[in-house]
Amino acid sequence: MQINQTRLAERIQTLGAIGTDPQGGLTRLPFTKEEKEAKDLIKQYMQEANLHVTEDQVGNLFGTRQGQGTNRKTVLFGSHIDTVYNGGKYDGAAGVLTAIEVMQTLAENNATHDDDLTIVVFTDEEGARFSSGMLGSQALIGNWTEDMLQTTADKNGVTIAEAMQTYGYQAEKIDTVQLDGESLRCFLELHIEQGKVLEQEDTSVGYATGIVGIRWLNVTITGEADHAGTTPMNLRKDALTGASEIIQAIETKASTYPSLVATVGQLSVKPNGINIIPGEISFTLDTRDLDDVLLDQFVEEIHQTVETITEKRGLNAHIDQLNRAESIATSQHVNEALESSLKKNQLKVVSLPSGAGHDVMNMASLTDVGLIFIRTKDGISHHPNEFASDSDLADGAQVMLDTIIQLAEQKKEHD
Ligand SMILES: [Zn+2]
């Protein structure tokens, strides 16, 4: 069975024309008309692939092809179609459209398989609008409550619950979204690598050994917003100079860990006037490592650093955890199936850890998981220049097809 490279390439461009941002690239945020348009297109493709299409109450989209076995479970695979601000055509979309290509190829070949096969298109993977991330897959594992949906808002004060309502999803039904891990055989995601390893290895497709754990913090430093001309240096409680000392310390401390990375990516200054001493600073911290113990140790170190520096400067500090995801290992039997598919397609077997978080992290708490990577030009992602070639995507779709077929027929071994 061969996937159709031309059809896949055309669909990447068609989906990639939805949500075009005048400032460059694509902006498809959750619960917006751009996302709705993209989802309608995906539903149409799913129907062309003869899939049974359903949607849950948080907007996760499913397309199912029924298996022929008794005691069927579901081989679930997919990714997301939301983007960051000014993002590219491949992050998320590559995983969704290759999954549909796999299903359409199976349909055209009247292929049979024991297990049910289901594509999932996760809602709000990127977290660009509500600064939370992975809303859809977090809801599937029961991590969102109605209360949380009603209290988490975007920068305009629109809560997730209100945004959902606009598109007909009901926050009060969030409990109905949860998936039963027992119903799943495994979960597989295909994603662009967003790094340079496959490019360096000169190969189109690889797979992930695991995904780094992630902690997102928001740090608020409060001082006093006094007059810049009349307040002598020794009487100031400048929140920004305090924050800058902390941010320097974050960089220094992170560099003492073997592989940990830490980034302060957002900073807001209040009142933000040229002649006013900054009274309140709020900044975010994104930190990642494959070793969760080291990661927690680093976060604890940052808590102490914030306390020490703010105390010394007579400032107040408050730290919120915005997001926490444990590192995960992908499953050996899924990776074995991936390796055999790579070999079958005369591709080099390359595996690497993933430094970026994906929905597969959440699915790992329900079932066995695997993650396929596609070579990404210059490692660029979350940018209009993000690029994966048509033939690399086709290789990825073919590896996914061959792997899905193996995983859906392994019942004797695993039941
Ligand atoms: Zn993604």
Side-chain angles (χ1 to χ4, degrees), residues 184-414:
L184 300 177
R185 179 73 59 198
C186 58
F187 172 76
L188 196 60
E189 179 163 3
L190 177 147
H191 205 279
I192 55 168
E193 182 202 339
Q194 305 177 276
K196 299 175 181 176
V197 174
L198 294 177
E199 213 168 43
Q200 274 171 0
E201 294 279 353
D202 194 25
T203 192
S204 54
V205 184
Y207 73 88
T209 48
I211 301 185
V212 295
I214 303 181
R215 310 289 183 268
W216 279 5
L217 305 180
N218 190 72
V219 182
T220 306
I221 310 291
T222 316
E224 280 170 17
D226 290 320
H227 194 290
T230 60
T231 316
M233 295 310 284
N234 65 336
L235 294 182
R236 293 174 179 223
K237 289 183 177 172
D238 185 332
L240 181 53
T241 49
S244 69
E245 191 179 341
I246 293 165
I247 294 166
Q248 286 286 344
I250 288 171
E251 185 187 43
T252 307
K253 286 176 193 299
S255 308
T256 65
Y257 287 75
S259 58
L260 181 143
V261 289
T263 306
V264 174
Q266 286 182 342
L267 183 84
S268 91
V269 181
K270 286 181 190 167
N272 206 24
I274 190 169
N275 57 356
I276 312 167
I277 297 165
E280 187 185 302
I281 301 298
S282 148
F283 66 87
T284 54
L285 173 64
D286 168 314
T287 181
R288 307 174 189 219
D289 198 75
L290 259 182
D291 186 332
D292 284 305
V293 175
L294 284 184
L295 201 47
D296 286 334
Q297 185 186 315
F298 175 70
V299 168
E300 182 50 38
E301 236 188 299
I302 296 310
H303 271 89
Q304 285 166 10
T305 303
V306 168
E307 201 182 307
T308 308
I309 293 174
T310 51
E311 246 178 52
K312 181 183 75 184
R313 290 171 167 268
L315 303 167
N316 288 312
H318 179 76
I319 303 179
D320 288 311
Q321 181 175 275
L322 299 179
N323 198 6
R324 175 192 175 93
E326 305 300 317
S327 68
I328 64 138
T330 49
S331 309
Q332 197 187 338
H333 89 272
V334 176
N335 290 341
E336 281 165 6
L338 282 168
E339 287 196 15
S340 98
S341 302
L342 287 167
K343 286 174 188 159
K344 185 183 167 204
N345 288 286
Q346 278 94 47
L347 292 166
K348 198 166 153 184
V349 174
V350 176
S351 61
L352 57 146
S354 173
H358 300 292
D359 291 304
V360 65
M361 301 170 82
N362 293 320
M363 302 315 288
S365 70
L366 293 179
T367 188
D368 289 346
V369 299
L371 174 58
I372 303 173
F373 279 139
I374 301 294
R375 171 166 50 191
T376 315
K377 188 172 191 303
D378 300 326
I380 293 170
S381 71
H382 288 189
H383 188 277
N385 292 351
E386 179 182 287
F387 180 78
S389 76
D390 293 348
S391 71
D392 285 4
L393 286 162
D395 282 353
Q398 190 64 45
V399 167
M400 179 171 252
L401 172 64
D402 295 337
T403 306
I404 296 282
I405 287 294
Q406 290 179 65
L407 294 170
E409 304 300 330
Q410 289 185 345
K411 292 165 76 159
K412 285 178 199 76
E413 221 177 298
H414 290 277

Side-chain angles (χ1 to χ4, degrees), residues 79-84 90-93 125-126 189-192 194 356-359 382 386:
S79 193
H80 63 95
I81 50 147
D82 65 305
T83 70
V84 295
Y90 301 89
D91 183 336
E125 191 275 341
E126 299 287 5
E189 179 163 3
L190 177 147
H191 205 279
I192 55 168
Q194 305 177 276
H358 300 292
D359 291 304
H382 288 189
E386 179 182 287

